[in-house]
Amino acid sequence: MIQKQKNKPNIKVIIYSLIALGFMILTFLVDWMFIIGAAIMIWLNQKELMKKKK
């Protein structure tokens, strides 16, 4: 019998995504340099997503 694995949401990924979204909004409203913060948050998000599950 195939068991379905329950995936719970990763809180770190959600927080990183919301912060990156905030940086993107600031990029368009305030200054283009906020794109650096968004890029760092996206990098951290990818690093968290690619981490091996225990």
Side-chain angles (χ1 to χ4, degrees), residues 12-49:
K12 274 188 177 180
V13 171
I14 294 171
I15 292 171
Y16 288 161
S17 298
L18 290 174
I19 294 171
L21 185 61
F23 275 123
M24 289 302 294
I25 292 169
L26 288 173
T27 297
F28 288 107
L29 295 178
V30 180
D31 191 18
W32 66 272
M33 290 294 284
F34 283 105
I35 197 82
I36 296 169
I40 291 170
M41 294 311 296
I42 292 169
W43 177 72
L44 288 172
N45 205 354
Q46 284 296 321
K47 191 174 168 183
E48 184 68 29
L49 285 171

